[in-house]
Amino acid sequence: MNIIRGVELVPMTTGSDEGEDVIARLPSGEDDPETTLIKARERERVRQMIAALPIELRETLVLRELEELSYKEIADVTHTPIGTVMSRLWRARRLLAQAARRDEAA
């Protein structure tokens, strides 16, 4: 925290917020508190499932789904053939679907 001219500046993020979009986590005026909580829990659940993926699958999935890179761009960034990128995406998506089914069954 910084204090400038008697005003305390509080950062919007902390160490645990790294990589997360703080704005996306703010409640919407359209949502009631229950809906806001459900959405927050769902985001955390998905984040945990992605974090549990093996690093090469997680990296490829994040580059495609969150960073919206093309298969060619991912291949260039990861120094892997496009076929490997496609295979990793398929495996990552399959593992996420399996984790979601297990989570729902629990």
Side-chain angles (χ1 to χ4, degrees), residues 63-81:
L63 290 172
R64 177 68 190 133
E65 302 301 339
L66 301 179
E67 299 297 328
E68 300 181 351
L69 269 60
S70 70
Y71 287 14
K72 173 144 181 31
E73 291 170 323
I74 296 168
D76 291 342
V77 168
T78 60
H79 306 292
T80 57

Side-chain angles (χ1 to χ4, degrees), residues 9-67:
L9 301 176
V10 179
M12 289 187 67
T13 62
T14 63
S16 64
D17 291 329
E18 288 181 344
E20 292 181 14
D21 185 3
V22 175
I23 302 299
R25 293 184 301 137
L26 293 174
S28 166
E30 301 168 4
D31 292 338
D32 59 65
E34 181 181 14
T35 302
T36 300
L37 180 61
I38 291 169
K39 286 180 179 180
R41 286 184 178 166
E42 186 64 23
R43 274 192 304 274
E44 180 60 21
R45 181 176 153 239
V46 170
R47 190 196 66 73
Q48 288 175 351
M49 285 189 290
I50 291 171
L53 290 172
I55 186 70
E56 68 277 357
L57 301 182
R58 181 174 59 231
E59 174 186 50
T60 304
L61 184 74
V62 167
L63 290 172
R64 177 68 190 133
E65 302 301 339
L66 301 179
E67 299 297 328

